[in-house]
Amino acid sequence: MIRSMPFIILTAVFFLSAPLYAQQGKIGVINMQRALNGTEEGQKELKKLKKRLNSENKIFKKKEDKIKKLQDELSKQGFLLSDKSRVEKEEKFRQLNRDIERYQEDSRAEFTRLQREATDRMFKKLMKILTDYAKNNNFSIILEAGNSNANMPGMVLYNDKKVDVTDDVINLYNKKIGAKK
């Protein structure tokens, strides 16, 4: 009897506390990346970033073409040029290569900065809306679900689609933030 006493106490605690767990509230999950990208503002930001990226790629392509042209000249005419001219063209080629590498690094850093700023700005608004949504719908906890399609785990490894509040939050965001603009 004494050996089974801890088991009996543990079982009693479990069954007595079950009603407490039932009153805790709901649990939901949200895919923040999809929520950020799924809002109207998120779509506009993505379009702006893509437009910026396309214009940077055009500039990069022009610089790349200039280098390729100079490289072709050097390979075709290199033996015909005087030593001085060949050295000047080779130096110009090296300089253009350094310039394009710097340009590419600077462009990438600027693009990342702009992307981070837009995400941070929207994330703050989204968190306010998510908090209000959770309070208004009696959620005890909402967890980040990640993106299973992109192999980007969040804090939830599995969830039933019934507890996913992402679409509801996107719609609220569009109503609240879209109405202000």
Side-chain angles (χ1 to χ4, degrees), residues 24-69:
Q24 292 284 325
K26 299 187 291 188
I27 295 176
V29 296
I30 186 170
N31 180 324
M32 290 298 281
Q33 190 65 44
R34 187 166 67 86
L36 288 167
N37 292 338
T39 63
E40 292 168 4
E41 184 180 11
Q43 294 295 315
K44 287 178 187 174
E45 289 294 334
L46 283 174
K47 283 180 185 175
K48 281 193 326 191
L49 288 170
K50 283 180 183 178
K51 186 176 178 182
R52 170 86 185 233
L53 187 62
N54 287 338
S55 76
E56 294 294 331
N57 284 340
K58 286 177 185 175
I59 294 169
F60 181 76
K61 176 78 171 124
K62 285 180 184 177
K63 290 178 180 276
E64 204 173 46
D65 290 345
K66 192 174 181 180
I67 288 175
K68 184 161 176 45
K69 183 180 173 188

Side-chain angles (χ1 to χ4, degrees), residues 73-83 85-86:
E73 285 177 19
L74 277 170
S75 64
K76 290 178 184 175
Q77 301 172 356
F79 62 93
L80 297 174
L81 296 172
S82 68
D83 287 343
S85 294
R86 190 180 76 258

